[in-house]
Amino acid sequence: MDLYEHQARELFAEHGILVPRAEVTDSVKEAREIARRLGGRVVVKAQVKTGGRGKAGGVQLAADPAAAEITARQILGMDIKGHTVRTVMLAQPVDMEREFYVSYVLDRMAGTFLAIASTEGGMEIEEVAATRPEAVARIPVDPAEGVTTARAAQIAEAAGLPPQTVDVLVRLWAVLTSEDAVLVEVNPLVRTADGQILALDGKVTLDDNARFRRERWGTREVAHDDPLEAEAAAKGLNYVKLDGEVGVIGNGAGLVMSTLDVVAGCGARPANFLDIGGGASARTMADGLNVILSDPAVKSVLVNVFGGITACDAVADGIVKALGSVRLTKPLVVRLDGNNAARGRTILDDRAHPLIRQAATMDDAARQAADLARTANPL
């Protein structure tokens, strides 16, 4: 369950993380009044559950209340990657000196969390991660130990963050644990000219299994602006639509995120995040493939699975059985590793589907998927 930015910032503030003053509205006239209350000059930000708002024109600076009304009128109703903007947040602008990136994310495969941090926050963080991975620190966090001040200092040092961010790292962990979150992200976390550390943007994903404890956000099914996300949610899939051409299926959030990075490093763009978790039944695979193949932007599909509790032969059997209910129209690259990987590869070899290829490593699988996306023609 993803929260809107203004909801994430609300949680940050409750846990003592500084955020600029802001208000939310769906009215252009009220936008003028909010801007007046906030001092006149404001940043108007589209509230949608997707990235890339700035590049799409969904984040703009307004010089005064009249300009804020005009800007809100321009942004409300805008389509950003299939998400319609229905509300905007107006926030006080900040005199930034440095931008950083910090987040905690669940790594299901490792049974732990990852702290991800960089001194190069902002709109280009995905490009930084893809082209210069050494600029992004990834530090495991044992959930039983958590993030103490000492552990936060280690994370900050590993990422090259200034000492003032240690307190934020501790408090951000408190947001994750106390709010049943599987992802908390601040991008950018900024240092102002007067030395304050503020969260200018935030993303929080709550564990759907704990939704009954989060009534403040509503316990009913979450409405999805993107039809593919709505379809996936109805089937119980952990799916996020992205702006790319290579469909990605993996088991474990950490593995899927790594796969996205590797695909990007091969010069292609991931079309989605789809984590099948510990289950890879024929039904799960069929549902996942159906959703991904329904995306007209997808040109190839990459299945990257590390067999653990769910063995690779069960995954391969699920793929084969899924082909009975799914018409495969785009090339599918499969990388199996771990428990019963050899047996899984044999199952796929015996099926001998003309659009299925196998790869021995994640890097090779990503390269094949990226190459196929550049050349494939849907059947």
Side-chain angles (χ1 to χ4, degrees):
M1 177 180 177
D2 291 329
L3 300 185
Y4 288 101
E5 177 196 3
H6 67 89
Q7 295 170 328
R9 287 163 50 106
E10 182 180 329
L11 288 180
F12 294 164
E14 290 173 5
H15 287 269
I17 298 173
L18 296 180
V19 296
R21 286 181 59 203
E23 294 184 41
V24 180
T25 184
D26 60 0
S27 164
V28 295
K29 291 190 178 299
E30 189 179 13
R32 179 192 285 258
E33 297 306 314
I34 291 174
R36 184 175 289 113
R37 287 197 293 269
L38 295 178
R41 186 167 175 263
V42 293
V43 180
V44 185
K45 307 180 75 174
Q47 295 299 282
V48 287
K49 297 177 180 180
T50 187
R53 295 175 301 167
K55 292 182 179 180
V59 178
Q60 299 185 40
L61 182 66
D64 53 47
E69 179 177 345
I70 294 171
T71 304
R73 191 183 305 278
Q74 293 170 344
I75 294 177
L76 286 168
M78 179 185 290
D79 181 276
I80 301 178
K81 296 183 180 179
H83 296 255
T84 301
V85 181
R86 295 188 172 88
T87 58
V88 292
M89 182 180 75
L90 291 87
Q92 288 181 322
V94 171
D95 184 11
M96 297 182 294
E97 184 181 80
R98 289 286 305 277
E99 291 183 282
F100 313 109
Y101 173 94
V102 295
S103 71
Y104 296 113
V105 62
L106 175 64
D107 184 344
R108 287 189 175 90
M109 287 297 297
T112 185
F113 282 86
L114 276 178
I116 304 176
S118 175
T119 56
E120 302 188 33
M123 289 194 298
E124 306 302 330
I125 184 63
E126 292 85 358
E127 183 178 342
V128 171
T131 60
R132 291 188 297 109
E134 72 279 1
V136 181
R138 293 173 170 83
I139 303 98
V141 176
D142 186 337
E145 296 178 4
V147 178
T148 61
T149 299
R151 188 62 173 141
Q154 293 173 351
I155 294 170
E157 182 179 0
L161 301 178
Q164 302 100 305
T165 61
V166 169
D167 182 63
V168 174
L169 289 169
V170 173
R171 293 177 185 275
L172 194 64
W173 178 258
V175 174
L176 183 137
T177 55
S178 65
E179 301 296 337
D180 294 312
V182 294
L183 167 71
V184 290
E185 175 186 271
V186 181
N187 185 33
L189 179 72
V190 303
R191 183 173 62 198
T192 64
D194 60 1
Q196 283 191 314
I197 301 294
L198 280 76
L200 289 201
D201 198 350
K203 180 177 181 181
V204 174
T205 300
L206 305 180
D207 186 346
D208 281 341
N209 295 312
R211 187 176 295 174
F212 69 96
R213 291 204 293 253
R214 301 292 153 217
E215 293 185 0
R216 68 186 287 187
W217 311 121
T219 55
R220 294 179 300 176
E221 289 299 313
V222 180
H224 293 268
D225 293 326
D226 185 272
L228 288 177
E229 290 187 355
E231 179 185 350
K235 294 176 178 178
L237 297 172
N238 186 9
Y239 171 92
V240 179
K241 177 77 170 68
L242 301 174
D243 187 21
E245 62 280 345
V246 177
V248 176
I249 300 177
N251 62 329
L255 180 62
V256 178
M257 290 183 67
S258 297
T259 305
L260 302 185
D261 287 343
V262 175
V263 167
C266 293
R269 298 174 303 163
N272 66 275
F273 172 105
L274 177 51
D275 172 19
I276 59 174
S281 66
R283 184 70 267 156
T284 302
M285 291 304 303
D287 288 343
L289 287 172
N290 259 322
V291 170
I292 288 179
L293 293 171
S294 297
D295 183 351
V298 168
K299 299 295 185 291
S300 68
V301 182
L302 170 56
V303 176
N304 186 21
V305 169
F306 186 88
I309 296 174
T310 300
C312 289
D313 56 336
V315 174
D317 189 55
I319 293 173
V320 169
K321 289 180 177 176
L323 295 176
S325 58
V326 177
R327 180 173 177 262
L328 188 60
T329 59
K330 298 162 186 178
L332 177 70
V333 181
V334 182
R335 177 257 185 169
L336 300 175
D337 195 8
N339 186 16
N340 286 349
R343 190 180 304 171
R345 297 187 197 108
T346 299
I347 290 172
L348 293 178
D349 285 339
D350 291 344
R351 177 61 177 82
H353 193 287
L355 287 178
I356 295 181
R357 300 187 181 189
Q358 295 197 63
T361 67
M362 179 165 65
D363 288 344
D364 185 34
R367 277 193 296 270
Q368 288 194 44
D371 290 342
L372 289 167
R374 284 188 282 267
T375 61
N377 293 311
L379 297 180

